Amino acid sequence: SRIVASAPQAIVNQDSDAITMLGGVNARTSAGMTLHCDRLVYRRGGATLHGDGNVVITDPKGFRATGSSFDSDISLTHMRMQ
């Protein structure tokens, strides 16, 4: 599964092998899951995502989960929301 994300600003940190997207992130997986949050950090080493701020995740059937932060794999299938 892959994920495509867009945001007004992105910061690449080569030391920590992470990409931080800021200013309102919109993302969609190849399986049809959508994600909206204020800030998203993608760590390439473990292929993990951490997002915070007004998190909304919607699956293809329309189920919505909301929270203040989440940790997940890049397919958004194994997730912990807070």
Side-chain angles (χ1 to χ4, degrees), residues 15-80:
D15 293 335
S16 64
D17 205 23
I19 300 170
T20 302
M21 301 179 80
L22 304 162
V25 180
N26 294 300
R28 184 178 190 91
T29 70
S30 55
M33 300 280 287
T34 62
L35 161 68
H36 304 284
C37 59
D38 295 342
R39 182 178 74 107
L40 181 69
V41 179
Y42 168 58
R43 289 185 179 83
R44 293 190 299 190
T48 61
L49 298 171
H50 172 79
D52 52 46
N54 303 301
V55 177
V56 179
I57 296 172
T58 308
D59 75 8
K61 296 177 182 167
F63 174 78
R64 276 172 53 115
T66 62
S68 58
S69 69
F70 78 96
D71 291 285
S72 177
D73 61 351
I74 62 167
S75 65
L76 299 178
T77 54
H78 301 287
M79 179 183 323
R80 190 178 80 234

Side-chain angles (χ1 to χ4, degrees), residues 1-12:
S1 181
R2 69 178 213 148
I3 188 166
V4 176
S6 63
Q9 183 180 9
I11 300 166
V12 177

